[in-house]
């Protein structure tokens, strides 16, 4: 039900979902933004170890955020 959140795929054929797009999908189903983020963080991402070929989640960031993250 989150096909609209697919933003691409990886070189090893894993589906890539945009985190913000996933939040939007769950909000379209009636969740608040906070509920959607909690659901994704707790129920979706934590299930990935149980998949043979799990998808990836892509988080949008500004260049400044990326530079700060790299400097950590």
């Amino acid at each position: 039900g989150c096909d609209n959140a697919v933003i691409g795929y990886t070189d090893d054929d894993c589906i890539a979902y945009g985190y913000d797009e996933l939040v939007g999908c769950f909000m379209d189903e009636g969740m608040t933004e906070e509920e959607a983020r909690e659901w994704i963080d707790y129920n979706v991402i934590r299930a990935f170890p149980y998949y043979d070929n799990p998808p990836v989640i892509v988080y949008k960031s500004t260049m400044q955020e990326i530079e700060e993250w790299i400097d950590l």
Side-chain angles (χ1 to χ4, degrees):
C2 290
D3 291 346
N4 292 337
V6 175
I7 60 170
Y9 59 93
T10 65
D11 59 353
D12 56 348
D13 296 325
C14 292
I15 294 175
Y17 290 96
Y19 184 83
D20 293 334
E21 288 80 357
L22 280 174
V23 170
C25 284
F26 287 105
M27 288 177 66
D28 289 346
E29 297 295 321
M31 291 184 182
T32 65
E33 182 177 350
E34 182 179 348
E35 290 170 334
R37 290 181 185 280
E38 287 178 6
W39 180 262
I40 294 163
D41 294 345
Y42 188 79
N43 295 295
V44 176
I45 294 172
R46 289 180 57 168
F48 287 177
Y50 301 100
Y51 286 78
D52 289 332
N53 192 20
V56 294
I57 305 293
V58 178
Y59 300 88
K60 293 180 184 173
S61 300
T62 65
M63 196 60 193
Q64 180 179 353
E65 290 170 329
I66 294 169
E67 289 170 351
E68 289 171 1
W69 180 76
I70 291 171
D71 288 339
L72 293 177

